[in-house]
Amino acid sequence: FFLSKARMLSAAASYNAVPPVYAPPQAGEPAAASAASSSSSAPQSAAQAKLEALKARLSAARQSNHKEAVEEDRRNKLGPEALKRERAEKAWEKKKGEAAAETETDKLLGMTAADAAASHDKRDKKQRRGKEVGDDVYKKEAQ
């Protein structure tokens, strides 16, 4: 069996170090080979049903193996230093996200009403002061 050109191009565009594995057409995909075998509406025998189930498992295993081969090839090309750096970056991002969420929650839970009023007043004062700074202040004084 051969892959269609569209499937080959899409598979080659994603990663081309390891050739894609043939996957039999799914239920929604038209294919000449499967159309000929499934054109009869007669129920399958137990042996045929078992064979189809085995083919499906084999296809899933093939696809899983291909994904693992691609990942292994990527790891081999990157090298141990880059993989260590990648793991450290992922851990740091995860820790940063957790810490930020905890800090914001702790900050809000630990604030009293007096603290909230003081910070609100301080923010308002800064906004008012920011509006007064600029050319308009000096132009008004000069007039």
Side-chain angles (χ1 to χ4, degrees):
F1 294 85
F2 295 100
L3 293 174
S4 68
K5 286 186 180 183
R7 283 181 72 183
M8 285 189 345
L9 290 176
S10 68
S14 63
Y15 191 80
N16 59 3
V18 180
V21 180
Y22 167 73
Q26 300 297 325
E29 297 179 15
S34 65
S37 65
S38 64
S39 63
S40 62
S41 60
Q44 294 181 345
S45 69
Q48 287 176 334
K50 187 174 182 179
L51 180 62
E52 287 297 318
L54 286 173
K55 284 182 180 180
R57 285 180 53 200
L58 183 61
S59 175
R62 222 182 260 128
Q63 290 173 355
S64 170
N65 186 39
H66 177 68
K67 286 179 184 177
E68 290 298 320
V70 168
E71 182 62 25
E72 181 182 0
D73 188 50
R74 185 186 73 84
R75 286 192 308 263
N76 289 340
K77 285 183 178 179
L78 282 179
E81 298 86 23
L83 288 174
K84 189 181 289 185
R85 186 177 29 213
E86 188 177 283
R87 282 193 297 268
E89 287 174 4
K90 277 186 180 178
W92 185 78
E93 287 292 329
K94 184 177 178 183
K95 187 183 289 186
K96 181 178 141 185
E98 291 173 356
E102 290 177 15
T103 306
E104 186 64 29
T105 304
D106 292 341
K107 198 182 288 186
L108 292 175
L109 288 175
M111 187 177 284
T112 64
D115 293 338
S119 67
H120 183 67
D121 292 341
K122 187 175 181 181
R123 187 174 50 237
D124 284 347
K125 186 177 179 182
K126 282 184 180 181
Q127 287 177 350
R128 278 184 274 135
R129 200 174 350 142
K131 290 179 182 176
E132 294 173 359
V133 176
D135 292 336
D136 295 339
V137 174
Y138 301 111
K139 287 179 184 176
K140 287 179 184 175
E141 289 177 4
Q143 291 174 356

